[in-house]
Amino acid sequence: MRLTKSTDIALRIAMRLAVTDDAGDSAAPTTREVAGAVGVPYTHAAKVVSRLQHLGVVEARRGRGGGLALTPAGRGWSVGRLLRELEGAGDVVGCEDDPPCPLRGACRLRGALREAQEAFFATLDPLTIEELTVPPTGPLLLSLTARPEH
């Protein structure tokens, strides 16, 4: 299973914010700063931050003294739960695409793939966003600086 680009960006942003909070930085990073640090375009990061805000994982404050922060609830979110929310409950394969698969009425593969997908998420359920940032990942995330957009 391959995660969507948006989910990949969401995980990177959440991890970066988790270590930013831990570092005790006085100024919360902006969406543009986080996007540059994790190597994604600002426009993509802004859409993902909006989705993470909607889920209650990230708080965004505007104006002077504003910036992004992982919410206390967000720190404890299960990675499996976050992936389920971001990836949705869709099938791994497009059985109902246009045109639909002619095997869909009697196919055993669809159910097996659904079980495999749930096993994938379930493996990540015990892991929290905060736990993703233990060394060596946390120090590496802190060392990332914004890169100019192309």
Side-chain angles (χ1 to χ4, degrees):
M1 178 175 169
R2 185 174 178 99
L3 301 177
T4 63
K5 189 68 174 170
S6 291
T7 298
D8 175 37
I9 292 170
L11 289 168
R12 290 191 219 177
I13 289 172
M15 291 167 63
R16 182 63 170 98
L17 292 176
V19 296
T20 301
D21 292 347
D22 290 343
D25 293 340
S26 57
T30 65
T31 301
R32 191 169 302 282
E33 290 167 345
V34 171
V38 298
V40 299
Y42 167 76
T43 54
H44 291 28
K47 289 177 189 173
V48 168
V49 165
S50 176
R51 177 81 170 118
L52 291 172
Q53 272 186 275
H54 178 74
L55 292 172
V57 174
V58 169
E59 176 185 25
R61 296 176 304 273
R62 294 187 180 274
R64 189 173 196 183
L68 302 176
L70 205 57
T71 65
R75 294 179 84 71
W77 262 54
S78 151
V79 175
R81 176 183 175 198
L82 183 59
L83 294 182
R84 281 183 191 89
E85 290 287 338
L86 295 171
E87 291 290 316
D91 287 327
V92 175
V93 292
C95 302
E96 302 298 330
D97 287 354
D98 187 22
C101 176
L103 304 175
R104 73 186 181 284
C107 183
R108 296 180 64 200
L109 179 61
R110 185 179 192 179
L113 289 173
R114 189 173 294 124
E115 284 181 36
Q117 181 182 28
E118 183 49 39
F120 172 78
F121 292 140
T123 300
L124 297 168
D125 281 339
L127 187 63
T128 66
I129 292 172
E130 187 170 39
E131 290 170 337
L132 292 175
T133 63
V134 299
T137 307
L140 176 62
L141 284 163
L142 281 172
S143 73
L144 299 176
T145 56
R147 292 177 252 155
E149 285 190 52
H150 304 314

